[in-house]
Amino acid sequence: MYKDTNCGEPRESAVGSQITVAGWVHRRRDHGNLIFIDLRDRSGLLQIVFNPEYSQTAHDLAGSLRSEWVVQITGKVVRRLPGAENPDLPTGAVELSATDLVVLNRALTPPFEIADDIEVDENTRLKYRFIDLRRPRMQRALKLRHEVTHIMWDFLTAKGFTQVETPILIKSTPEGARDYVVPSRIHPGEFYALPQSPQQLKQLLMVSGLERYFQIARCFRDEDLRADRQPEHTQLDFEMSFVHQDDVMAIVEELYSRIVHETVPDGTISAPFVRLTYAESMDRFGTDKPDLRFGMELSTVTEIAARSDARVFQSVASSGGSIRGFIAPGCGNYGRRQTDELTEFAKQSGAQGLVFIALDESAESIEKLEDDHIKSPLKKFLSVEIVRELATKMGAGPGDLMLIVAGANRLVNTVLSNLRNEMARRLEFVDEKHFAFAWIYDFPLFDWDEDLKKWEPAHHVFSSPKPEHMQYLDTDPGKVLANLFDLVCNGSEMGSGSIRIHDRDLQARMFSIIGYTEDQISERFGQLLTAFSYGAPPHGGMGLGLDRLVAILVGEQAIREVIAFPKTQSAVDPLFEAPSPITDQQLEELHVRVVMPRS
RNA sequence: GGUCCCGUGGUGUAGCGGCCUAACACGCCUCCCUGUCAAGGAGGAGAUCGGCAGUUCAAAUCUGCUCGGGAUCGCCA
């Protein structure tokens, strides 16, 4: 070994011992006859002193050290001079008085500083990711990520789960997200696909009698990227046989509680996890992934607003849309600039506009609300009576700001749920150390696709309908709820699960409801249906996003921050410069011809 | 596919028609310095302002296109 001690380890108890450390020169402070080095390794920082009285040669060499050089240093741990301790450093009571210095490798000046508080262009960071990852914050994220998967392995192993690796080269199924595709050399004109999830494979493992399977699985989707979406992401994929929905939830609840407690000791968690039906979540929050760390729940005021003289309200109500809103408490004094910002924000989410009604705090109560107390761009269309009714319905009081959006149901929900999160951010309602986990369940089995004029599976085709809704399967598919549930936390979807269909005929019926022909069914799902004919147990499971979980635990918005080598928004890896063209010879071997798009 | 924001020495920013021969901080280089820890002091090097085209007597600054990064809607079973 090049070292017998890690930089972050020495404490007062080590004073007097001779140690050898190795690491990177974090900073050098050269006082001429006395040189200080902060030496960094994965464990932290240790101050090294080069004093010519102890070693002239080491001191001479130390003068030439530069940032990020890799060095090995031997010396004696000494107590720092009184008053020279550094309380900000865990090793701050001691320092290493160097007797030997070996330069293991020199380094170019890094393109950016190795520090947590830097703000460097992300492309530069990714291009030099190997340096970016030297930052303590990044190391913390990677280590925490490891800790999380370690807990998952431990926990699930103890619960009788078996980890199975499923193939990365599988068959393309054109529904859902776009597949990443790999050409076959051996079979000209044929392609593998990278899995979007090991869904069918794990269901087959249930038929195989494994009963409890899990995998930290890489999943691939060729869709546009976002802060929380990468072309490849990792999920905890698991499946269990002979279970009901509650059994699946219970396992996850125990596991995730443990993960939070062990990785974020000062974090708080809502236990048991909140449970909301999909319908209730949409009604109260306008989204199926509500942030439950704060209130500001939505109200529906279509009927009241439609009785006002405002034409926007009347026309939306008569065309079957909805008028909904929520209260921003204490924001009745918002000025033009603030309301403009919010309007702009709402428009970004697709709203035509945003209606404000501010109630002056001088009003004694809603009952005693006077015309003077009301401020709104729509004021001349709103009678005091209507405003009183609205305020009562929405729960507004003097000094509050009512935010109202009118439009198509879905749009109104999108806008208001985004706006609700934005207001919480502005009003600092968000507790960063609280993890508000919730189960959203009773999702509909199908969504109506207006463009294609057909039913689409709300999550995926393998989820089972609730038994009591089976009767509507053919007559009114939109009415059928599924044994389908999402785990959400702080406004993010953490994963999705369901009790699957294990009956061959029912699964085949599902495929035909969403419009697959017999040929398509046997071509794409033949193996699953066949397997179901050979004794498939009732089963269910989940896919839980690891990247998002770790991001939430470390308080990052973008999952790029918790992925060692992520891609940019255009799906490029700036470090390796992937994707890239391949040689003509490779193309020929793969029987692939490239047709560039006309520009 | 759409919308919005950003692009100036190595890094982060300022400048937003002529005062720019581009400013500041950090970093870098040289020298000085025995107690610093974002060390300090003195001096120095380094950018033609993402690219192209245009408007103008004059462009980092205005316009168009384009490239790159980010956010977001669509999309993501």
Side-chain angles (χ1 to χ4, degrees), chain A residues 218-510:
Chain A
R218 199 63 69 84
C219 304
F220 304 87
R221 289 172 192 179
D222 187 5
E223 294 292 346
D224 287 359
L225 284 73
R226 288 285 193 286
D228 60 354
R229 280 190 236 156
Q230 284 274 307
E232 47 183 309
H233 73 278
T234 307
Q235 65 180 41
L236 168 61
D237 190 56
F238 77 93
E239 199 73 9
M240 307 166 77
S241 292
F242 307 113
V243 288
H244 300 292
Q245 186 163 302
D246 284 346
D247 302 314
V248 177
M249 290 175 168
I251 283 275
V252 173
E253 205 157 320
E254 195 180 338
L255 171 60
Y256 272 50
S257 300
R258 187 161 147 187
I259 288 170
V260 171
H261 286 135
E262 292 191 17
T263 61
V264 190
D266 58 338
T268 57
I269 188 169
S270 29
F273 293 1
V274 173
R275 294 195 184 195
L276 289 174
T277 65
Y278 170 79
E280 188 182 357
S281 183
M282 293 306 288
D283 184 54
R284 288 171 56 188
F285 305 101
T287 173
D288 57 4
K289 45 182 182 192
D291 193 333
L292 298 178
R293 288 174 296 180
F294 48 88
M296 298 197 289
E297 296 188 16
L298 312 188
S299 319
T300 303
V301 295
T302 315
E303 184 271 330
I304 301 169
R307 279 188 277 114
S308 75
D309 296 327
R311 196 165 310 151
V312 260
F313 289 162
Q314 292 167 359
S315 69
V316 163
S318 63
S319 64
S322 57
I323 302 165
R324 311 189 67 198
F326 67 94
I327 299 304
C331 297
N333 56 353
Y334 264 26
R336 179 63 189 267
R337 209 185 106 221
Q338 287 157 306
T339 56
D340 278 355
E341 280 173 8
L342 291 176
T343 304
E344 189 47 43
F345 183 88
K347 284 182 174 170
Q348 265 227 328
S349 296
Q352 296 290 311
L354 180 59
V355 175
F356 301 93
I357 305 173
L359 306 179
D360 199 275
E361 60 185 355
S362 64
E364 265 180 62
S365 68
I366 292 304
E367 293 72 41
K368 295 187 177 166
L369 203 63
E370 304 284 343
D371 194 62
D372 290 348
H373 296 131
I374 301 167
K375 264 197 313 185
S376 173
L378 289 188
K379 186 169 177 180
K380 56 183 166 178
F381 306 112
L382 301 168
S383 65
V384 179
E385 289 71 32
I386 291 282
V387 173
R388 273 191 208 133
E389 275 192 67
L390 287 171
T392 305
K393 181 75 188 276
M394 294 174 67
D400 289 344
L401 179 68
M402 299 194 254
L403 299 166
I404 298 172
V405 175
N409 300 333
R410 209 181 131 175
L411 181 75
V412 168
N413 279 335
T414 305
V415 173
L416 285 174
S417 62
N418 287 344
L419 201 58
R420 178 176 168 269
N421 290 338
E422 171 67 12
M423 281 314 301
R425 199 187 58 76
R426 285 173 179 248
L427 297 173
E428 296 178 357
F429 283 175
V430 180
D431 177 357
E432 299 291 346
K433 286 292 179 196
H434 186 65
F435 301 94
F437 284 102
W439 292 105
I440 312 297
Y441 65 103
D442 278 4
F443 276 84
L445 189 54
F446 299 107
D447 279 335
W448 179 250
D449 188 318
E450 191 52 46
D451 295 333
L452 299 173
K453 302 285 180 208
K454 69 187 201 84
W455 291 101
E456 290 282 343
H459 272 61
H460 62 54
V461 264
F462 310 109
S463 300
S464 59
K466 294 179 97 62
E468 61 269 34
H469 292 156
M470 292 277 281
Q471 47 177 320
Y472 307 119
L473 260 187
D474 296 307
T475 52
D476 190 0
K479 210 168 166 177
V480 180
L481 298 184
N483 296 311
L484 219 176
F485 44 95
D486 278 2
L487 179 66
V488 304
C489 182
N490 296 356
S492 278
E493 183 188 324
M494 305 301 291
S496 179
S498 66
I499 297 302
R500 327 295 186 186
I501 296 167
H502 63 280
D503 179 85
R504 189 207 173 280
D505 296 338
L506 177 57
Q507 185 67 69
R509 207 167 139 203
M510 284 289 296

Side-chain angles (χ1 to χ4, degrees), chain A residues 36 64 86 149 203 486:
Chain A
F36 296 96
S64 67
N86 184 349
T149 51
Q203 290 193 246
D486 278 2

